[in-house]
Amino acid sequence: MRAFWEHLSALFFALAFGALVFGVLARLLGAGRSWLFFLLALLLFSLGLFWGVK
């Protein structure tokens, strides 16, 4: 469990990257509300930065 808490910021960064890629793909396919994925990516990236700061 300790390893999970130590690498939680990496998990947030990976999820943010996935949301960003999914948002770009949704935008390329013409989805109307792809901004939600970019907002999710921003939220996860900020959580990763916040959690990674010691």
Side-chain angles (χ1 to χ4, degrees):
M1 192 68 181
R2 190 182 76 182
F4 173 77
W5 291 111
E6 289 176 356
H7 299 291
L8 192 60
S9 64
L11 175 67
F12 284 138
F13 288 137
L15 288 173
F17 179 73
L20 185 65
V21 168
F22 197 72
V24 168
L25 287 176
R27 192 68 179 152
L28 287 174
L29 291 174
R33 295 194 179 190
S34 60
W35 61 271
L36 291 172
F37 297 111
F38 296 117
L39 185 64
L40 178 65
L42 181 65
L43 174 73
L44 289 169
F45 185 74
S46 62
L47 277 173
L49 284 178
F50 176 72
W51 203 270
V53 175
K54 302 274 186 233

